[in-house]
Amino acid sequence: MQFDRIIKNGTIVTASDTFVADVGIIGGKIAALANDLTDSADIIDASGLYVMPGGIDSHVHIAQPSGDGIVMADDFESGTRSAAMGGNTSILSFCMQEKGDSLRHSLKVYHDKADGECHIDVAFHMIVTDPTPAVLGQELPALVEDGYTSFKVFMTYENLRLRDDEILNTLDAAKNTGALVMVHCENEDAIRFLIGQHEANGEFSAKSHATTRPIAAEREATHRALSLAEIVDTPIVIVHVSNREAMEEMERARVRGSKVIGETCPQYLMLTADDLDQNEMEGAKFVCSPPPRDKASQDACWDGLQRGVFDLFSSDHCPFRFDDPEGKLIEKGKKSFRWIPNGIPGVATRLPILFSEGVQKGRIDLNRFVALTATNHAKLYGMYPQKGTIAIGSDADIALWDPEKNVTITNDLLAQGCDYTPYEGLEVTGWPVLTMVRGKTVVKDGELSGEKGYGKYLARQKSNLIA
Ligand code: URP
Ligand code: ZN
Ligand code: ZN
Ligand code: ZN
């Protein structure tokens, strides 16, 4: 057979297997996995490297307005570029419904932002903020048919959150159409109560972001979301889980028979609430929700990754410039922590952090790494086996990893729109040295080699939990 490209002599790692073989690629797809492939004018030597499915980051915010005029630091060009630098070949980004808008209109807005801009493949989850009967009864089913098969709802953020009856109706609409619902679990009323108390006491600094969003607020909302899904009898994804008490709620729901998928993120392994407690607004660089907790919670999240409480490891990339051109973040954040936009960057650092802290430190093995960062995302969100594995017939979405490469993370390595990384100075071992999307090199040795616009929009199937 004549191949367009061959990756030779690498160690292939999938979610289930590790083996030495060559990869033959034809027309952007994997056409052969065998030893001694030779027939190609384009041979990449992967001796000493791992050949892994490119990362799929199923929790990324790009070009989403923050609601108070602060603009997100990444557009689809910079966001997908940075994702590729970090070994990702697909992202699932959020399309947020503005209140009063139809889902179709919202989708058009985000497609217009993404079209022609992406370096890697992109799909959308819809954030439902206005679940009217027309939205749930007519639009949602039509969108599922069109390949938008997952929806996120918020229990927090004043302008975005849904009431319990709205969540029930959304879960029911999803159940009836075979869609999957992701939930951000924090109790907004409890948070508002605590913000009021803190401000009344004259506490306005960034560290109060963490104390006004305590574990109890996350645990309670997690319990409630799980109960609502149990009442409707439909699967649920609990996103960005930060601590053991929320994990225990998920495990109890599973024992009762619920289909529960859990996600955690690098910030809950690597950061703590102490990072928010810094002078001169530095703490604002670590403001995300739920907030990072403490060492015990970090240990709990590792335990959850090891024991399968979590199936997904995502970035929740949600970048805001610290020193934004109009200085709004600092200016507003100085008045009170409540005005600091929630979210931190992380699409480029997700994989190196889990590889270094997880695989290299012996906490998880290579196959679990692949499952947590690619395969499970593809299966859960209806992209498997086109995406998320190395198999004949799958897209040649591949990251070559040098497991011994030592890198000190600095923001300029990440090629993102954000002007900082919360992981500045972190030393990691293991780095993606080549990212290939559908057989084409997009990043090699930290240099972008593709053109924007190569990345395609991905319509998706229903979740493997539902089909
Ligand atoms: O602080 C965060 N996580 N911002 C992103 C939006 C969300 O809640 O996922
Ligand atoms: Zn609009
Ligand atoms: Zn969220
Ligand atoms: Zn998010």
Side-chain angles (χ1 to χ4, degrees), residues 59 61 152-154 156-157 183-185 239-240 289-290 316:
H59 193 146
H61 302 268
K152 182 177 179 189
V153 300
F154 287 99
T156 185
Y157 302 134
V183 187
H184 178 137
C185 302
V239 293
H240 47 47
S289 296
D316 196 6

Side-chain angles (χ1 to χ4, degrees), residues 28-81:
K29 302 246 179 217
I30 298 171
L33 294 172
N35 292 317
D36 304 322
L37 297 181
T38 50
D39 232 354
S40 178
D42 183 1
I43 293 185
I44 301 173
D45 181 17
S47 305
L49 304 180
Y50 290 130
V51 181
M52 307 223 230
I56 301 174
D57 193 338
S58 62
H59 193 146
V60 174
H61 302 268
I62 289 179
Q64 221 179 279
S66 74
D68 51 9
I70 299 184
V71 181
M72 216 165 251
D74 275 313
D75 55 21
F76 280 88
E77 198 277 321
S78 65
T80 57
R81 177 181 69 204

